[in-house]
Each structure stands twice: as structure tokens, then as C-alpha cells.
């Protein structure tokens, strides 16, 4: 019904947005860049949740809203569902995606860029760098989840855990 | 005829209020919409025991006043649509259809990146779509 855009355009836009905010707008303040990116994600999630809950009856509790995020919302955004959902039944949910779409094409340069650093375990620092670079790209989906849930009446905080790429786990903590 | 249509946000803040009569009774319409918010809250917090209507978005006839009938609709994001009409024999299916099209127009208006959530909807396109929907309300029933 609406106009369509190719997926690669959206992927490129994401990459350029992170690069612009980190390297050009807030190059000296990465925390500020991260907050801005997350705020953009918040607004996008807010508006998308309005659109994708249009046909559905209302949710009766938090778990149903989270399940909506895992199944229908994620399927609309990434054409797949969340692979694993865990909860401690006390307001914390872990949404695990084994192959997060925006991370699949990410390649990390394995060789260290500056050779004068004395590294006793070069594998560890390379992994640290990988985590640093990818964490910037994950603020946007965190914002999307936070925006969608707060529009459904569930204020929360979302963080991400990337112990093994391209899988990532979003940790949602509902504010009591 | 549809007299007035209103969109109220989840903190009961008005987002859009449009009346379609030439009479200058905007205050009375505001008052009717305000009262219907209480009825909606009551309906949502004390659901009837019939489980089928528990989580539906369409709330149906809220309350009839002497001249008007007021219909309500509650979205998943706690936004309320209120329809005030003087139509004597309005059909349920017509109202549901109306709300469906209105919801679609509302979603498009809110997806505007320049719209600030919580502020009033100022989009001209939205106003035009709403007046189109209002004009075609009930026409299908005039057989």
C-alpha cells in the first residue's frame, strides 16, 4: 500500500548515521553520540509501534506486549522473529536474536592498526575493539525497543549484550 | 450527521478536536468529549465479565445524551478516539468502519517525523482525510 524502499538503502542509512554521529557531530563525546542515536531510535520505535498495533486488540499485560515485540514487531522490521525470550518474572526480559540483521554484514579488521602498542594478548584487544565498534551500532535498535514499549505504556530501560556476534541479546528492564 | 470528532492522548491531553457543524457550540462539544473520557476510563478499568469484549479496541456506544450519541475507540497506545453524532439510526458496522479509517489516517499523521508526540496534530493532510472520511460516513447506508 505504501511506497517501498530497498533494504540495502536502510542498511546503508544506519551505517552512515552511526558514522556521522560518531565521527563528525560528536567526535569528542561518544556518550553524547550514543544518546542522540538512541533518541532517534526512540522516536522511530514510538511511531512504528503506533502503526503495527493498529489491527490488534489491546494487550492485557506486560508479557503480551513483550511477546508482540518479539514476534510481530520484529518480523515487520527484520523479517524474522526473536529467537529466544527469557524472563525472571520480576520485570527483566532478555530478547535474544541469533543473527541480528544489522550486524551480519559487519566486518572487523583483525590486524591492529597501531603497531607500537605492546599487546600481550592481541586477540583480546581486537575483540574489545570489535565490541566497541558494534556497540555504537546497537544503540539504535535499543532505542526502537524502548520507544515501542513506552508507547504501549511500559517505561523501561534497554541495554544490549554482545558476547558473540552476530548474535545479540537485548536486556529490557521494566521500571516499576 | 457527525457533529464532532476528537483524539485524546493517553494522559487525557487533547490532540485533535474538529467539529463539523456551523453552530457555534464548540464549548458544549468540548464538554461532551470530556465527559466521555470518564466513561472510557470506567469501561476500561471495570470490564464487564464477558471476556470477548475485554480487549477490543472499539468500545461502542459510550452514552447517549438528549441529542447526541457518543462512540469511543481505544488504541493499543492508549489514544482515544471519540465520535459525536446526531445520526438517528447509525449502524454499528458503519461506526467500526469509520474508526478503522480514522485510525489509519491517525497513524499516518503521527508517523510524520515533524510531529511531536504529545502535541496537537497540525497536519493539513490529516484534516483533509478526516473530512473526507466524515463526508462518506453513513452514505453507504443511504440505500
Amino acid at each position: 500500500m505504501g511506497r517501498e524502499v530497498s533494504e540495502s538503502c536502510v542498511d546503508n542509512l544506519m551505517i552512515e548515521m552511526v558514522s556521522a554521529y560518531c565521527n563528525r557531530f560528536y567526535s569528542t563525546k561518544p556518550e553524547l553520540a550514543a544518546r542522540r542515536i538512541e533518541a532517534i531510535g526512540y522516536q522511530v520505535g514510538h511511531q512504528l509501534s503506533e502503526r503495527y498495533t493498529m489491527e490488534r486488540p489491546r494487550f492485557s499485560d506486560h508479557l503480551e506486549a513483550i511477546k508482540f515485540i518479539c514476534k510481530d514487531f520484529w518480523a515487520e522490521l527484520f523479517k524474522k522473529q526473536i529467537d529466544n525470550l527469557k524472563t525472571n518474572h520480576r520485570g527483566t526480559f532478555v530478547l535474544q536474536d541469533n543473527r541480528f540483521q544489522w550486524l551480519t554484514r559487519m566486518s572487523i579488521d583483525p590486524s591492529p592498526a597501531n603497531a607500537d602498542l605492546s599487546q600481550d594478548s592481541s586477540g583480546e584487544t581486537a575483540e574489545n575493539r570489535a565490541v566497541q565498534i558494534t556497540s555504537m551500532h546497537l544503540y539504535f535498535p535499543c532505542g526502537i525497543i524502548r520507544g515501542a514499549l513506552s508507547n504501549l505504556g511500559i517505561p523501561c530501560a534497554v541495554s544490549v549484550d554482545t558476547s558473540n556476534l552476530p548474535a545479540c541479546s537485548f536486556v529490557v528492564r521494566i521500571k516499576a | 450527521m457527525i457533529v464532532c470528532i476528537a483524539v485524546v492522548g493517553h494522559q487525557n491531553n487533547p490532540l485533535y478536536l474538529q467539529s463539523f457543524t456551523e453552530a457555534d457550540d464548540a464549548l458544549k462539544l468540548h464538554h461532551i468529549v470530556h465527559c466521555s473520557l470518564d466513561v472510557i476510563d470506567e469501561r476500561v478499568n471495570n470490564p464487564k465479565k464477558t471476556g470477548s469484549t475485554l480487549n477490543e479496541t472499539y468500545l461502542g456506544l459510550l452514552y447517549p445524551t438528549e441529542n447526541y450519541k457518543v462512540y469511543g475507540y481505544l488504541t493499543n497506545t492508549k489514544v482515544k478516539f471519540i465520535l459525536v453524532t446526531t445520526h438517528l439510526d447509525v449502524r454499528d458496522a458503519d461506526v467500526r468502519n469509520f474508526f478503522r479509517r480514522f485510525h489509519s489516517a491517525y497513524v499516518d499523521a503521527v508517523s510524520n517525523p515533524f510531529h511531536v508526540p504529545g502535541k496537537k496534530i497540525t497536519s493539513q493532510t490529516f484534516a483533509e482525510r478526516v473530512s473526507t472520511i466524515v463526508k462518506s460516513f453513513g452514505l453507504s447506508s443511504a440505500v
Side-chain angles (χ1 to χ4, degrees), chain B residues 22-75:
Chain B
E22 293 80 21
D24 195 19
D25 51 1
L27 198 57
K28 191 164 78 158
L29 296 173
H30 276 246
H31 181 71
I32 292 181
V33 169
H34 208 260
C35 292
S36 57
L37 293 178
D38 285 332
V39 180
I40 291 185
D41 279 336
E42 200 186 288
R43 282 270 181 105
V44 167
N45 295 336
N46 312 331
K48 303 203 233 322
K49 292 312 172 194
T50 59
S52 64
T53 53
L54 192 53
N55 285 328
E56 251 199 76
T57 46
Y58 174 66
L59 297 173
L61 182 64
L62 295 178
Y63 70 101
T65 66
E66 71 275 5
N67 299 332
Y68 307 117
K69 289 188 187 175
V70 181
Y71 289 88
Y73 182 98
L74 179 64
T75 69

Side-chain angles (χ1 to χ4, degrees), chain A residues 93-156:
Chain A
F93 295 88
V94 179
L95 285 65
Q96 184 181 343
D97 189 338
N98 288 334
R99 211 183 128 75
F100 187 54
Q101 189 190 347
W102 290 334
L103 290 181
T104 52
R105 303 267 177 262
M106 205 153 274
S107 67
I108 313 293
D109 184 12
S111 64
N114 27 5
D116 56 354
L117 279 181
S118 60
Q119 303 157 7
D120 33 354
S121 51
S122 55
E124 187 180 325
T125 47
E127 202 178 290
N128 273 350
R129 267 212 317 283
V131 169
Q132 253 178 347
I133 296 174
T134 54
S135 65
M136 267 305 175
H137 288 263
L138 290 169
Y139 282 113
F140 188 72
C142 285
I144 291 184
I145 297 179
R146 190 169 71 92
L149 283 176
S150 59
N151 203 11
L152 297 173
I154 305 176
C156 58

Side-chain angles (χ1 to χ4, degrees), chain A residues 1 43 46-51 53-60 64 150-153, chain B residues 54-57 73-78 103-104 106-108 110-113 115 117:
Chain A
M1 192 195 93
Q43 187 171 353
H46 205 267
Q47 293 169 336
L48 285 182
S49 70
E50 192 80 58
R51 188 176 286 275
T53 56
M54 198 162 84
E55 302 289 323
R56 311 177 45 96
R58 289 197 305 277
F59 302 123
S60 38
E64 278 209 17
S150 59
N151 203 11
L152 297 173
Chain B
L54 192 53
N55 285 328
E56 251 199 76
T57 46
Y73 182 98
L74 179 64
T75 69
N76 243 317
T77 55
K78 312 287 180 288
H103 194 168
S104 173
Y106 170 74
V107 161
D108 286 342
V110 165
S111 304
N112 184 351
H115 171 255

Side-chain angles (χ1 to χ4, degrees), chain B residues 40-142:
Chain B
I40 291 185
D41 279 336
E42 200 186 288
R43 282 270 181 105
V44 167
N45 295 336
N46 312 331
K48 303 203 233 322
K49 292 312 172 194
T50 59
S52 64
T53 53
L54 192 53
N55 285 328
E56 251 199 76
T57 46
Y58 174 66
L59 297 173
L61 182 64
L62 295 178
Y63 70 101
T65 66
E66 71 275 5
N67 299 332
Y68 307 117
K69 289 188 187 175
V70 181
Y71 289 88
Y73 182 98
L74 179 64
T75 69
N76 243 317
T77 55
K78 312 287 180 288
V79 172
K80 309 164 185 83
F81 300 152
I82 295 168
L83 169 71
V84 181
T85 172
T86 57
H87 218 139
L88 292 175
D89 55 348
V90 60
R91 286 189 309 194
D92 206 44
D94 281 345
V95 183
R96 280 182 196 262
N97 196 19
F98 173 89
F99 275 131
R100 203 170 39 81
R101 295 162 74 187
F102 188 75
H103 194 168
S104 173
Y106 170 74
V107 161
D108 286 342
V110 165
S111 304
N112 184 351
F114 296 109
H115 171 255
V116 178
K119 292 269 169 74
K120 297 202 172 181
I121 299 177
T122 52
S123 154
Q124 195 59 23
T125 319
F126 178 67
E128 284 169 9
R129 273 179 80 172
V130 167
S131 63
T132 313
I133 299 175
V134 163
K135 282 198 188 71
S136 63
F137 175 73
L139 282 185
S140 55
S141 64

